Amino acid sequence: MKFTLSWLKDHLDTTASVDEIAEALTDLGLEVEGIENPLATLEKFTLGKVKHAEQHPDADRLRVCIVETDEGDKQIVCGAPNAREGITVVIAKPGDYVPGIDVTLSVGKIRGVESHGMMASERELELSDEHTGIIELPSGEVGESFADWLAKNQPEKVDPVIEIAITPNRPDALGVRGIARDLAARGLGTLKPMKEAHVEGTFPCPINVTIDEDTREHGCEVFMGRLIRGVKNGPSPEWLQQRLKAIGLRPISALVDVTNFFTYDMNRPLHVFDADKIRGNLRVHRTKGGETLVGLDEKEYTFPEGAVVISDDEEIESIAGIMGGLRTGCTEETTNVFLEAAVWDPIQIAKTGRALKINSDARYRNERGIDPAFNAPGLELATQMILELCGGEPSEVVQAGAVPDTDRAYKLDTDRVQSLVGMDIPAEEQRRTLEALGFRLEGDMAHVPSWRPDVQGEADLVEEVARVASLTKLVGKPLARLHVGVPKPVLTPMQKRENMARRTVAALGYNEAVTYSFIDKASAELFGGGSDATMLENPISSEMSHMRPDLLPGLLQAAARNQARGFMDLALFEVGPAFDGGEPEDSQLQIGGLLVGATAPRDPYGSRRPVDIYDAKADAEAVLSAIGAPARQMIQRNAPAWWHPGRSGQISLGPKNVLATFGELHPKVLERMGVKGPAVAFTIWPERVPFPKAKGATRPALTASDLQPVERDFAFVVDADVEALTLVNAAQGADKKLIESVRVFDEFHGPKAEAQMGAGKKSLAITVRLQPSDKTLTDAEIEAVSQKIVDKVAKATSGVLRG
Amino acid sequence: MDDLRQKYLDAIAGAGDEAALEDIRVAAVGKKGEVALAMRSLGKMTPEERKVEGPKLNALKDEINAALAAKKEALADAALDERLKTEWLDVTLPGRPRPAGTVHPVSQVTEEVTTIFADMGFSVAEGPQIETDWHNFDALNIPPHHPARQEFDTFYMHREEGDDRPPHVLRTHTSPVQIRAMLDQGAPIRVIAPGRVYRSDYDQTHTPMFHQVEGLAIDRDISMANLKWTLEEFCRAFFEVDEVELRFRASHFPFTEPSAEVDLRCSWEGGKLHVGEGDDWMEILGSGMVHPKVLEAAGVDANEWQGFAFGIGIDRLAMLKYGIPDLRAFFDSDLRWLKHYGFSALDMPTMRGGLSR
């Protein structure tokens, strides 16, 4: 919402400066977004008088002038045709910045003649587009400030423009009067009395108006109008054009400009029809769907069912409260005009506006709610202005529907400001504030003014009082602790787990990324997503159309971007939600980690090697361990399709509860995502890890034997597809009491191994640690356990000791 | 006997290696060595002579043995020194590479915020990011078709044909967590709710996803003055300064009444943010007293309970505190950015050790 200072002063009697007004507005909740104050840029220019002007010796169009200024006589070369002796001009001196030409002046030589400044045109000072000659003032003294002269003689030219942001609850502040009312309540001046007009109609309105029965509710409350015949439309007067131009509106014609004036002055949108183009009467009704209308913006709109429109006897002529139709719009030739003022249902306006995708000023105002009580007075004032500007003869007013009764009252509890806001404001001051805002007080009941649809309860009264008193006066007051003493921890076990997981992965050398929760459909599909249920109805781009089914596609895209920048070795991770449906409950927390390229940069010690699945597995296990997953886990092979089928595994508790997946990504997935491999990854679902049942910080006692443990190594020849874990578990089962641990320390496979051990064979070597608990082991006992291990492994894997 | 002593001590001193030393040992104190031979001769002496000569010989034996041991150690030391001289490595070569991971500023700042509010008794509430229309709007006093809805640039989820429920939304703010927390826990309540939020906006200063933290405190007598104090304390702790000054400005949010935008006094001297000094005011958050309709929607009796709510941009807090210039880069995962603006895994914010290093 833009307005000028002089416009504000139509409604507010004030001596406050622009800065004071701006500060008060922002503090009142009408946040100032910008101030254009032409006076600020004109401050340094002063008036001068041309004492003498003669032809430039070396240029036909230039004149050399001697100008009297506050700093004495100056020689100025000027090309304006009106530069002549005796005129009062505006001087810009060397060092001054001239806004219209974006130049800071210096002493110059023009065709050999020195020039000490310039005499400015209106365009050069950004006062208008006038540039046929320099400014010639009818009055003014040498040395007088041009800004002062303008403020005194042509205030409209230096009228400061203030732009404020209007929150949706304040339709009244969409009119200059509403803004003035707030300022007056704050004490920045006095609200001038409301203008009133009553124009008696001299003949019955030949155009009748009706509202269909089904349109009265949630459609049109009241529709008033009148014919004014014999008007002469044309450009509106200078003052009106100046007003509209100052706030960025294009003057169109007197009739249209009048409607725009009331829109901004009083937040009273109006519409003018060319009455000669209306066939028969006007009818407010709902659309059936499929009808069309070409609007004033010359676009054709097709109506949905149930939109509220205005038709004449033949077809739709106006989108009620949103935009008029082109056919019945007023033109320079209009001589008979039908003036409309109506109150529309805000929700209906919003629905229709959204369906037709029209963002007009009328829609903006009507869907926030205009003052219904001002409908008739607004029509009268506009009639009066049209008669003043265009002449003509008004008919009587026709009306359909009735002005809605918005009267409501809430109890003003003057203690509430203290208890809710914490400000001490005397009761009398509270009542004064509300009255200044237009509330009517009856005892302690405050009746809400018709222009404040937002006030709907007692809390709103408190807000108004506090707002006008200024929240800057609010002094902080300690919030008592809920519990006396040391604060209790507040995080849930799951929240702690998330933090622990994040810092564990970072400690393992991964860089945390935060990627968008939505990705493109193709990427989502690669990871089991991309269904319509996870689709956005209005994505910002096709790259962000579906909720991610997994964190890995986002991390892979990040990897590809980094590879494009020349970073080939990456360790990225993210902690966040993944989505498997479109309902609120369809998301799970994931921890995704991605390793690409090599484990380390090249170094003299050969640390560098390509990342492999055992890196990903170790990291996944470290994270699971950090968040308290049970140690005994299953490893399964049925990882989803985006993993390498032979090089991926699932860490699970029982066959169904998969805690994590790790492995190499499928080469096709890498190719599609544009990542150059090798690439391994893990996905962990921390919410699937059960919380330990035991509570309390006490740990079981340490059992550490004094007896010497014994380690024995075994190498087995097994079929190449035998899994190490099967062998380890078999060995472990040989003597659960004695065997403390079993670890694989060598795997020998491939052509060389097969050459030694036969086709389809490999060797797995384990080290078994025996920990006796009551006496040192004898050789015979060790031998017995060893034999049991060999037997168990043979039974489980058909493996034999390697000779 | 003195000759004998001198002879061997000289020989020991002059020995060049362990072998020569061994030869001397054998010759001197070995079983057939000169000292042993001399010992044997004791048998032929008178008891008186023996009493004098015996101890002398024993002392000589001990002295030679000690000299041998000392020389042996000296020789070993010399040999070790010699070997160490050959074991030279280039200590300027780099150490073995060890990857250093980082924590994203959003995670770090979220933990900082959580840490501060935990100290004031606020627990952490959570809610879904795909949210119902009711939780995101209606319950927060933003009815359908209200112009306030349009200000949110909402992302809507797809609706199957025939499913006539209003479409779910990607939550446009963390405020719906207020509703869920109150429905869940009732009053009194003190929670914050950090997390991802979404708005359909992408330009220099907006990304379609960003992070907010919601705060909610409901009790019997919590006022806006308590809100101001809470935010002052938060800003003081978060920006790690001794003093802050906040300015409340009237504003409007459908879910609070009265509502206030909150500005923080600061200066931008030298292009750097200084909180608590200077003449600039920076808008940092929106807040207010929870609207009675919101309390009622969340099943809390507005005649009995009242309190405040606020919402702060986490990304923005991170940008301000750590001087990060561009919001869009937060979600670009540029490795250089992650390493430069990220935090060490062990940089855990605490109240006892401070929030940042």
Side-chain angles (χ1 to χ4, degrees), chain A residues 354-379:
Chain A
R354 191 169 328 138
L356 297 176
K357 297 191 172 71
I358 301 177
N359 287 310
S360 66
D361 196 59
R363 172 192 169 189
Y364 181 78
R365 290 160 187 277
N366 279 314
E367 73 183 6
R368 279 160 176 75
I370 55 109
D371 178 4
F374 186 66
N375 203 56
L379 187 74

PDB file of all heavy atoms in Angstrom, chain A residues 354-379:
ATOM      1  N   ARG A 354      -8.963 -17.374  -7.141  1.00  0.00           N
ATOM      2  CA  ARG A 354      -7.958 -18.427  -7.273  1.00  0.00           C
ATOM      3  C   ARG A 354      -8.255 -19.308  -8.482  1.00  0.00           C
ATOM      4  O   ARG A 354      -7.363 -19.662  -9.243  1.00  0.00           O
ATOM      5  CB  ARG A 354      -7.895 -19.264  -6.006  1.00  0.00           C
ATOM      6  CG  ARG A 354      -6.699 -20.191  -6.007  1.00  0.00           C
ATOM      7  CD  ARG A 354      -6.429 -20.856  -4.664  1.00  0.00           C
ATOM      8  NE  ARG A 354      -6.799 -20.036  -3.530  1.00  0.00           N
ATOM      9  CZ  ARG A 354      -7.411 -20.513  -2.455  1.00  0.00           C
ATOM     10  NH1 ARG A 354      -7.737 -21.768  -2.373  1.00  0.00           N
ATOM     11  NH2 ARG A 354      -7.696 -19.710  -1.450  1.00  0.00           N
ATOM     12  N   ALA A 355      -9.552 -19.623  -8.656  1.00  0.00           N
ATOM     13  CA  ALA A 355      -9.903 -20.491  -9.782  1.00  0.00           C
ATOM     14  C   ALA A 355      -9.543 -19.830 -11.107  1.00  0.00           C
ATOM     15  O   ALA A 355      -9.084 -20.494 -12.045  1.00  0.00           O
ATOM     16  CB  ALA A 355     -11.396 -20.814  -9.733  1.00  0.00           C
ATOM     17  N   LEU A 356      -9.745 -18.516 -11.197  1.00  0.00           N
ATOM     18  CA  LEU A 356      -9.481 -17.824 -12.469  1.00  0.00           C
ATOM     19  C   LEU A 356      -8.049 -17.283 -12.527  1.00  0.00           C
ATOM     20  O   LEU A 356      -7.647 -16.715 -13.538  1.00  0.00           O
ATOM     21  CB  LEU A 356     -10.475 -16.663 -12.648  1.00  0.00           C
ATOM     22  CG  LEU A 356     -11.948 -17.068 -12.741  1.00  0.00           C
ATOM     23  CD1 LEU A 356     -12.832 -15.835 -12.825  1.00  0.00           C
ATOM     24  CD2 LEU A 356     -12.187 -17.960 -13.959  1.00  0.00           C
ATOM     25  N   LYS A 357      -7.316 -17.434 -11.430  1.00  0.00           N
ATOM     26  CA  LYS A 357      -5.936 -16.939 -11.353  1.00  0.00           C
ATOM     27  C   LYS A 357      -5.852 -15.445 -11.670  1.00  0.00           C
ATOM     28  O   LYS A 357      -5.030 -14.996 -12.459  1.00  0.00           O
ATOM     29  CB  LYS A 357      -5.011 -17.720 -12.291  1.00  0.00           C
ATOM     30  CG  LYS A 357      -4.895 -19.196 -11.917  1.00  0.00           C
ATOM     31  CD  LYS A 357      -3.774 -19.856 -12.712  1.00  0.00           C
ATOM     32  CE  LYS A 357      -3.484 -21.265 -12.248  1.00  0.00           C
ATOM     33  NZ  LYS A 357      -4.548 -22.233 -12.599  1.00  0.00           N
ATOM     34  N   ILE A 358      -6.771 -14.683 -11.088  1.00  0.00           N
ATOM     35  CA  ILE A 358      -6.729 -13.224 -11.270  1.00  0.00           C
ATOM     36  C   ILE A 358      -6.268 -12.603  -9.951  1.00  0.00           C
ATOM     37  O   ILE A 358      -6.865 -12.856  -8.903  1.00  0.00           O
ATOM     38  CB  ILE A 358      -8.120 -12.660 -11.626  1.00  0.00           C
ATOM     39  CG1 ILE A 358      -8.629 -13.293 -12.907  1.00  0.00           C
ATOM     40  CG2 ILE A 358      -8.055 -11.130 -11.763  1.00  0.00           C
ATOM     41  CD1 ILE A 358     -10.030 -12.843 -13.291  1.00  0.00           C
ATOM     42  N   ASN A 359      -5.209 -11.824 -10.006  1.00  0.00           N
ATOM     43  CA  ASN A 359      -4.744 -11.127  -8.811  1.00  0.00           C
ATOM     44  C   ASN A 359      -4.967  -9.627  -8.974  1.00  0.00           C
ATOM     45  O   ASN A 359      -4.031  -8.856  -9.072  1.00  0.00           O
ATOM     46  CB  ASN A 359      -3.265 -11.417  -8.563  1.00  0.00           C
ATOM     47  CG  ASN A 359      -3.058 -12.832  -8.058  1.00  0.00           C
ATOM     48  OD1 ASN A 359      -3.712 -13.262  -7.119  1.00  0.00           O
ATOM     49  ND2 ASN A 359      -2.173 -13.553  -8.710  1.00  0.00           N
ATOM     50  N   SER A 360      -6.217  -9.212  -9.018  1.00  0.00           N
ATOM     51  CA  SER A 360      -6.499  -7.793  -9.216  1.00  0.00           C
ATOM     52  C   SER A 360      -6.546  -7.088  -7.877  1.00  0.00           C
ATOM     53  O   SER A 360      -6.686  -7.708  -6.825  1.00  0.00           O
ATOM     54  CB  SER A 360      -7.841  -7.631  -9.935  1.00  0.00           C
ATOM     55  OG  SER A 360      -8.883  -8.081  -9.102  1.00  0.00           O
ATOM     56  N   ASP A 361      -6.424  -5.778  -7.968  1.00  0.00           N
ATOM     57  CA  ASP A 361      -6.505  -4.975  -6.758  1.00  0.00           C
ATOM     58  C   ASP A 361      -7.878  -5.131  -6.091  1.00  0.00           C
ATOM     59  O   ASP A 361      -7.990  -5.188  -4.869  1.00  0.00           O
ATOM     60  CB  ASP A 361      -6.246  -3.514  -7.124  1.00  0.00           C
ATOM     61  CG  ASP A 361      -5.925  -2.709  -5.883  1.00  0.00           C
ATOM     62  OD1 ASP A 361      -4.941  -3.063  -5.212  1.00  0.00           O
ATOM     63  OD2 ASP A 361      -6.669  -1.766  -5.593  1.00  0.00           O
ATOM     64  N   ALA A 362      -8.926  -5.229  -6.913  1.00  0.00           N
ATOM     65  CA  ALA A 362     -10.273  -5.371  -6.358  1.00  0.00           C
ATOM     66  C   ALA A 362     -10.398  -6.682  -5.588  1.00  0.00           C
ATOM     67  O   ALA A 362     -10.946  -6.733  -4.487  1.00  0.00           O
ATOM     68  CB  ALA A 362     -11.304  -5.325  -7.488  1.00  0.00           C
ATOM     69  N   ARG A 363      -9.861  -7.745  -6.169  1.00  0.00           N
ATOM     70  CA  ARG A 363      -9.911  -9.037  -5.468  1.00  0.00           C
ATOM     71  C   ARG A 363      -9.183  -8.938  -4.132  1.00  0.00           C
ATOM     72  O   ARG A 363      -9.679  -9.373  -3.095  1.00  0.00           O
ATOM     73  CB  ARG A 363      -9.257 -10.120  -6.334  1.00  0.00           C
ATOM     74  CG  ARG A 363      -9.110 -11.427  -5.564  1.00  0.00           C
ATOM     75  CD  ARG A 363      -8.229 -12.447  -6.253  1.00  0.00           C
ATOM     76  NE  ARG A 363      -7.948 -13.535  -5.306  1.00  0.00           N
ATOM     77  CZ  ARG A 363      -7.075 -14.506  -5.515  1.00  0.00           C
ATOM     78  NH1 ARG A 363      -6.389 -14.534  -6.637  1.00  0.00           N
ATOM     79  NH2 ARG A 363      -6.888 -15.437  -4.615  1.00  0.00           N
ATOM     80  N   TYR A 364      -7.970  -8.376  -4.186  1.00  0.00           N
ATOM     81  CA  TYR A 364      -7.132  -8.249  -2.989  1.00  0.00           C
ATOM     82  C   TYR A 364      -7.910  -7.589  -1.853  1.00  0.00           C
ATOM     83  O   TYR A 364      -7.882  -8.021  -0.709  1.00  0.00           O
ATOM     84  CB  TYR A 364      -5.904  -7.413  -3.365  1.00  0.00           C
ATOM     85  CG  TYR A 364      -4.911  -7.197  -2.268  1.00  0.00           C
ATOM     86  CD1 TYR A 364      -4.015  -8.189  -1.913  1.00  0.00           C
ATOM     87  CD2 TYR A 364      -4.854  -5.975  -1.599  1.00  0.00           C
ATOM     88  CE1 TYR A 364      -3.085  -7.984  -0.915  1.00  0.00           C
ATOM     89  CE2 TYR A 364      -3.918  -5.759  -0.599  1.00  0.00           C
ATOM     90  CZ  TYR A 364      -3.042  -6.761  -0.260  1.00  0.00           C
ATOM     91  OH  TYR A 364      -2.123  -6.552   0.735  1.00  0.00           O
ATOM     92  N   ARG A 365      -8.644  -6.550  -2.198  1.00  0.00           N
ATOM     93  CA  ARG A 365      -9.377  -5.802  -1.174  1.00  0.00           C
ATOM     94  C   ARG A 365     -10.654  -6.519  -0.762  1.00  0.00           C
ATOM     95  O   ARG A 365     -10.966  -6.640   0.420  1.00  0.00           O
ATOM     96  CB  ARG A 365      -9.699  -4.411  -1.701  1.00  0.00           C
ATOM     97  CG  ARG A 365      -8.440  -3.562  -1.804  1.00  0.00           C
ATOM     98  CD  ARG A 365      -8.596  -2.393  -2.741  1.00  0.00           C
ATOM     99  NE  ARG A 365      -7.290  -1.756  -2.904  1.00  0.00           N
ATOM    100  CZ  ARG A 365      -6.781  -0.880  -2.057  1.00  0.00           C
ATOM    101  NH1 ARG A 365      -7.483  -0.498  -1.010  1.00  0.00           N
ATOM    102  NH2 ARG A 365      -5.587  -0.374  -2.250  1.00  0.00           N
ATOM    103  N   ASN A 366     -11.414  -6.986  -1.755  1.00  0.00           N
ATOM    104  CA  ASN A 366     -12.693  -7.614  -1.429  1.00  0.00           C
ATOM    105  C   ASN A 366     -12.519  -8.903  -0.645  1.00  0.00           C
ATOM    106  O   ASN A 366     -13.375  -9.268   0.153  1.00  0.00           O
ATOM    107  CB  ASN A 366     -13.491  -7.883  -2.708  1.00  0.00           C
ATOM    108  CG  ASN A 366     -14.203  -6.618  -3.181  1.00  0.00           C
ATOM    109  OD1 ASN A 366     -14.822  -5.920  -2.385  1.00  0.00           O
ATOM    110  ND2 ASN A 366     -14.087  -6.325  -4.472  1.00  0.00           N
ATOM    111  N   GLU A 367     -11.396  -9.632  -0.863  1.00  0.00           N
ATOM    112  CA  GLU A 367     -11.265 -10.880  -0.114  1.00  0.00           C
ATOM    113  C   GLU A 367     -10.745 -10.632   1.296  1.00  0.00           C
ATOM    114  O   GLU A 367     -10.776 -11.524   2.130  1.00  0.00           O
ATOM    115  CB  GLU A 367     -10.416 -11.907  -0.858  1.00  0.00           C
ATOM    116  CG  GLU A 367      -8.941 -11.619  -0.885  1.00  0.00           C
ATOM    117  CD  GLU A 367      -8.171 -12.662  -1.708  1.00  0.00           C
ATOM    118  OE1 GLU A 367      -8.793 -13.520  -2.334  1.00  0.00           O
ATOM    119  OE2 GLU A 367      -6.935 -12.578  -1.702  1.00  0.00           O
ATOM    120  N   ARG A 368     -10.272  -9.427   1.577  1.00  0.00           N
ATOM    121  CA  ARG A 368      -9.879  -9.104   2.940  1.00  0.00           C
ATOM    122  C   ARG A 368     -11.059  -8.487   3.706  1.00  0.00           C
ATOM    123  O   ARG A 368     -11.049  -8.437   4.928  1.00  0.00           O
ATOM    124  CB  ARG A 368      -8.688  -8.143   2.927  1.00  0.00           C
ATOM    125  CG  ARG A 368      -7.388  -8.887   2.710  1.00  0.00           C
ATOM    126  CD  ARG A 368      -6.267  -8.017   2.209  1.00  0.00           C
ATOM    127  NE  ARG A 368      -5.034  -8.792   2.128  1.00  0.00           N
ATOM    128  CZ  ARG A 368      -4.761  -9.696   1.197  1.00  0.00           C
ATOM    129  NH1 ARG A 368      -5.639  -9.951   0.245  1.00  0.00           N
ATOM    130  NH2 ARG A 368      -3.628 -10.351   1.203  1.00  0.00           N
ATOM    131  N   GLY A 369     -12.042  -8.032   2.952  1.00  0.00           N
ATOM    132  CA  GLY A 369     -13.243  -7.518   3.599  1.00  0.00           C
ATOM    133  C   GLY A 369     -13.261  -6.012   3.627  1.00  0.00           C
ATOM    134  O   GLY A 369     -12.410  -5.383   4.246  1.00  0.00           O
ATOM    135  N   ILE A 370     -14.229  -5.410   2.951  1.00  0.00           N
ATOM    136  CA  ILE A 370     -14.338  -3.965   2.955  1.00  0.00           C
ATOM    137  C   ILE A 370     -15.446  -3.553   3.924  1.00  0.00           C
ATOM    138  O   ILE A 370     -16.220  -4.383   4.378  1.00  0.00           O
ATOM    139  CB  ILE A 370     -14.560  -3.403   1.539  1.00  0.00           C
ATOM    140  CG1 ILE A 370     -15.768  -4.049   0.900  1.00  0.00           C
ATOM    141  CG2 ILE A 370     -13.363  -3.612   0.653  1.00  0.00           C
ATOM    142  CD1 ILE A 370     -16.895  -3.132   0.786  1.00  0.00           C
ATOM    143  N   ASP A 371     -15.477  -2.295   4.256  1.00  0.00           N
ATOM    144  CA  ASP A 371     -16.413  -1.792   5.261  1.00  0.00           C
ATOM    145  C   ASP A 371     -17.828  -1.757   4.674  1.00  0.00           C
ATOM    146  O   ASP A 371     -18.129  -0.917   3.813  1.00  0.00           O
ATOM    147  CB  ASP A 371     -15.949  -0.376   5.660  1.00  0.00           C
ATOM    148  CG  ASP A 371     -16.890   0.271   6.663  1.00  0.00           C
ATOM    149  OD1 ASP A 371     -17.857  -0.402   7.099  1.00  0.00           O
ATOM    150  OD2 ASP A 371     -16.650   1.439   7.009  1.00  0.00           O
ATOM    151  N   PRO A 372     -18.723  -2.634   5.128  1.00  0.00           N
ATOM    152  CA  PRO A 372     -20.064  -2.667   4.514  1.00  0.00           C
ATOM    153  C   PRO A 372     -20.877  -1.412   4.819  1.00  0.00           C
ATOM    154  O   PRO A 372     -21.687  -0.979   4.003  1.00  0.00           O
ATOM    155  CB  PRO A 372     -20.709  -3.917   5.109  1.00  0.00           C
ATOM    156  CG  PRO A 372     -19.920  -4.260   6.307  1.00  0.00           C
ATOM    157  CD  PRO A 372     -18.556  -3.671   6.143  1.00  0.00           C
ATOM    158  N   ALA A 373     -20.616  -0.808   5.987  1.00  0.00           N
ATOM    159  CA  ALA A 373     -21.396   0.369   6.372  1.00  0.00           C
ATOM    160  C   ALA A 373     -21.079   1.559   5.477  1.00  0.00           C
ATOM    161  O   ALA A 373     -21.848   2.516   5.402  1.00  0.00           O
ATOM    162  CB  ALA A 373     -21.121   0.720   7.831  1.00  0.00           C
ATOM    163  N   PHE A 374     -19.941   1.496   4.809  1.00  0.00           N
ATOM    164  CA  PHE A 374     -19.533   2.610   3.965  1.00  0.00           C
ATOM    165  C   PHE A 374     -20.019   2.439   2.525  1.00  0.00           C
ATOM    166  O   PHE A 374     -19.740   3.261   1.667  1.00  0.00           O
ATOM    167  CB  PHE A 374     -18.004   2.748   3.997  1.00  0.00           C
ATOM    168  CG  PHE A 374     -17.482   3.960   3.273  1.00  0.00           C
ATOM    169  CD1 PHE A 374     -17.760   5.244   3.737  1.00  0.00           C
ATOM    170  CD2 PHE A 374     -16.731   3.824   2.116  1.00  0.00           C
ATOM    171  CE1 PHE A 374     -17.286   6.364   3.061  1.00  0.00           C
ATOM    172  CE2 PHE A 374     -16.251   4.942   1.438  1.00  0.00           C
ATOM    173  CZ  PHE A 374     -16.535   6.215   1.918  1.00  0.00           C
ATOM    174  N   ASN A 375     -20.786   1.372   2.265  1.00  0.00           N
ATOM    175  CA  ASN A 375     -21.197   1.111   0.888  1.00  0.00           C
ATOM    176  C   ASN A 375     -22.009   2.266   0.309  1.00  0.00           C
ATOM    177  O   ASN A 375     -21.677   2.806  -0.751  1.00  0.00           O
ATOM    178  CB  ASN A 375     -22.012  -0.186   0.829  1.00  0.00           C
ATOM    179  CG  ASN A 375     -21.999  -0.790  -0.547  1.00  0.00           C
ATOM    180  OD1 ASN A 375     -20.932  -1.055  -1.092  1.00  0.00           O
ATOM    181  ND2 ASN A 375     -23.175  -0.970  -1.132  1.00  0.00           N
ATOM    182  N   ALA A 376     -23.053   2.668   1.016  1.00  0.00           N
ATOM    183  CA  ALA A 376     -23.899   3.750   0.515  1.00  0.00           C
ATOM    184  C   ALA A 376     -23.179   5.103   0.547  1.00  0.00           C
ATOM    185  O   ALA A 376     -23.158   5.823  -0.465  1.00  0.00           O
ATOM    186  CB  ALA A 376     -25.200   3.810   1.317  1.00  0.00           C
ATOM    187  N   PRO A 377     -22.504   5.455   1.675  1.00  0.00           N
ATOM    188  CA  PRO A 377     -21.780   6.734   1.677  1.00  0.00           C
ATOM    189  C   PRO A 377     -20.714   6.791   0.588  1.00  0.00           C
ATOM    190  O   PRO A 377     -20.500   7.844  -0.026  1.00  0.00           O
ATOM    191  CB  PRO A 377     -21.124   6.775   3.068  1.00  0.00           C
ATOM    192  CG  PRO A 377     -21.952   5.876   3.924  1.00  0.00           C
ATOM    193  CD  PRO A 377     -22.481   4.817   3.009  1.00  0.00           C
ATOM    194  N   GLY A 378     -20.074   5.663   0.322  1.00  0.00           N
ATOM    195  CA  GLY A 378     -19.040   5.617  -0.713  1.00  0.00           C
ATOM    196  C   GLY A 378     -19.633   5.909  -2.081  1.00  0.00           C
ATOM    197  O   GLY A 378     -19.062   6.646  -2.893  1.00  0.00           O
ATOM    198  N   LEU A 379     -20.804   5.323  -2.321  1.00  0.00           N
ATOM    199  CA  LEU A 379     -21.470   5.546  -3.605  1.00  0.00           C
ATOM    200  C   LEU A 379     -21.829   7.022  -3.776  1.00  0.00           C
ATOM    201  O   LEU A 379     -21.656   7.610  -4.841  1.00  0.00           O
ATOM    202  CB  LEU A 379     -22.733   4.681  -3.667  1.00  0.00           C
ATOM    203  CG  LEU A 379     -23.455   4.657  -5.008  1.00  0.00           C
ATOM    204  CD1 LEU A 379     -22.693   3.817  -6.017  1.00  0.00           C
ATOM    205  CD2 LEU A 379     -24.873   4.108  -4.845  1.00  0.00           C
TER     206      LEU A 379
END
